[in-house]
């Protein structure tokens, strides 16, 4: 017997509730997410799919996991209850790349009512290389491009790519204790960047990566046969040397790669704008007023990154959109079949009544 009310709330229950609504009313699809931080992201994802027939309600799966909902809670507690009216939305983590190697990865990659980010986590989308300049503009209100941010991120990705393949190889072969995600992140991240010479930071990362690769090659010679095929499989899953950063641990990318990169860039952009104001001001009062207005109009780069939605052109995001579109297409097809059956019965009833007279 079910002990919790949420155990009675299934996709079938929601479907029955939708059928009780007036004809023409929009059907609700409940989308469960892992934590508070995920709600805004998935709300922006579903916004473009809502219409006069369907809408989504994004919520947490339980009052007991509000602060830190876990993927395992979604899988174990809700897995059997999911359906076309109730879906789960999770970060892919490494499970997308692990494919069918464990129960969670099989669930994420195969379940038609589990949507995942494809990239490691939501933070990876927020750090999408092509959107970083716009994030700096939002934070500083200065559109001067000081550093080629996409170029930096793509070169960073090419440097860490071979070590990233090693990281996935270790997890696929149940050797992750010998080379954890945490260790991988500690090797490829950094605390600061000299924006006049960003190549120095990249070179330091390259040296650490090469040393670790040499160590792994020496201690795990059995990887020689499967490393190449794994690299090709990762290519087929959408991971490329230029986009590796999208698939590494999200909060490490956010806190220890992108923020150290953008913070000095934004500092320079603010100083540049303030110098411009001082130069153009006609008198002290105007200068103070303009500086005060400018300072109150700024936002922290951390805040702007978390609100960044400039990732929608990213290939993984397009794959996520396609998954949601497939769900809605299947709902439309089912509704058409149901309407066709209803219309057929309505045509048959008057004919049968005439025959019985």
């Amino acid at each position: 017997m079910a002990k919790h009310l949420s155990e009675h709330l299934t996709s079938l229950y929601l479907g029955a509730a939708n059928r009780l609504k007036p004809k023409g009313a929009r059907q609700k699809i409940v989308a469960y997410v892992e934590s508070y931080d995920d709600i805004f992201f998935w709300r922006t994802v579903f916004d473009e799919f809502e219409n006069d027939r369907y809408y989504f309600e994004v919520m947490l799966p339980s009052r007991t996991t509000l602060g830190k909902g876990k993927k395992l809670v979604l899988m174990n507690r809700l897995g059997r209850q999911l359906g076309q009216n109730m879906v789960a939305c999770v970060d892919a983590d490494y499970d997308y790349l692990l494919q069918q190697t464990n129960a969670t990865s099989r669930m994420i990659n195969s379940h038609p009512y589990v949507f995942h980010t494809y990239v490691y986590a939501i933070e990876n989308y927020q750090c999408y290389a092509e959107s970083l300049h716009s994030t700096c503009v939002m934070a500083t209100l200065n559109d001067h491009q000081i550093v080629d941010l996409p170029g930096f991120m793509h070169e960073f990705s090419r440097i860490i790519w071979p070590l990233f393949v090693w990281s996935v190889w270790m997890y696929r072969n149940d050797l992750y204790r010998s080379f954890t995600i945490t260790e991988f992140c500690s090797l490829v991240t950094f605390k600061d960047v000299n924006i006049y010479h960003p190549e120095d930071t990249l070179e330091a990362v390259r040296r650490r990566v090469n040393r670790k690769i040499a160590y792994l090659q020496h201690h795990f010679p059995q990887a020689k046969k499967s490393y190449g095929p794994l690299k090709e499989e990762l290519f087929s899953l959408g991971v490329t040397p230029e986009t590796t950063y999208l698939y590494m641990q999200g909060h490490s990318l956010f806190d220890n790669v992108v923020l150290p990169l953008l913070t000095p860039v934004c500092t320079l952009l603010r100083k540049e704008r303030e110098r411009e104001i001082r130069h153009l001001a006609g008198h002290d009062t105007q200068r103070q007023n303009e500086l005060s207005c400018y300072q109150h109009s700024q936002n922290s780069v951390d805040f702007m990154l978390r609100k960044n939605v400039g990732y929608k052109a990213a290939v993984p995001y397009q794959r996520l959109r396609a998954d949601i579109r497939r769900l809605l297409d299947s709902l439309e097809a089912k509704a058409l079949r149901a309407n066709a059956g209803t219309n057929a019965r309505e045509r048959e009833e008057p004919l049968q009544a005439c025959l019985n007279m």
Side-chain angles (χ1 to χ4, degrees), residues 14 21 89 104 152 179 218-219 230 232 241 276 293:
L14 291 173
K21 293 180 179 179
C89 305
T104 303
F152 182 97
F179 184 40
H218 177 72
H219 286 83
L230 174 58
E232 295 301 318
E276 182 183 86
C293 179

Side-chain angles (χ1 to χ4, degrees), residues 233-277:
E233 183 180 348
L234 292 178
F235 280 143
S236 71
L237 294 175
V239 189
T240 67
E242 291 74 21
T243 60
T244 311
Y245 73 96
L246 291 173
Y247 301 90
M248 66 176 282
Q249 189 179 58
H251 73 80
S252 291
L253 174 71
F254 190 103
D255 294 332
N256 302 314
V257 175
V258 174
L259 272 184
L261 172 63
L262 297 192
T263 298
V265 170
C266 289
T267 298
L268 271 187
L269 290 173
R270 291 189 180 101
K271 289 180 177 178
E272 183 181 84
R273 179 65 74 212
E274 289 170 357
R275 282 196 302 269
E276 182 183 86
I277 291 172

Side-chain angles (χ1 to χ4, degrees), residues 128-137 140 142-156 190 192-202 257-269 272:
Y128 183 55
E130 281 68 21
S131 70
L132 294 182
H133 175 65
S134 295
T135 301
C136 291
V137 174
T140 67
N142 187 344
D143 198 21
H144 181 200
Q145 186 168 324
I146 295 177
V147 177
D148 179 7
L149 298 173
F152 182 97
M153 294 303 298
H154 294 157
E155 181 60 22
F156 168 76
F190 42 83
D192 52 56
V193 180
N194 180 349
I195 59 173
Y196 298 107
H197 296 284
E199 67 277 5
D200 293 345
T201 298
L202 293 174
V257 175
V258 174
L259 272 184
L261 172 63
L262 297 192
T263 298
V265 170
C266 289
T267 298
L268 271 187
L269 290 173
E272 183 181 84

Side-chain angles (χ1 to χ4, degrees), residues 337-352:
R337 290 194 298 270
N339 289 336
T342 300
N343 292 337
R345 286 193 298 272
E346 289 174 350
R347 288 194 299 269
E348 290 173 359
E349 286 173 359
L351 176 61
Q352 188 63 43

Side-chain angles (χ1 to χ4, degrees), residues 94 153-167 179 184-185 187-190 202 205-206 208-210 213 227 240-249 253 257:
Y94 264 19
M153 294 303 298
H154 294 157
E155 181 60 22
F156 168 76
S157 287
R158 284 189 287 267
I159 291 170
I160 70 172
W161 160 249
L163 188 60
F164 179 79
V165 178
W166 268 104
S167 178
F179 184 40
F184 170 82
C185 291
L187 290 168
V188 304
T189 56
F190 42 83
L202 293 174
V205 173
R206 192 192 309 273
R208 293 196 298 269
V209 166
N210 288 341
I213 289 175
Y227 181 92
T240 67
E242 291 74 21
T243 60
T244 311
Y245 73 96
L246 291 173
Y247 301 90
M248 66 176 282
Q249 189 179 58
L253 174 71
V257 175

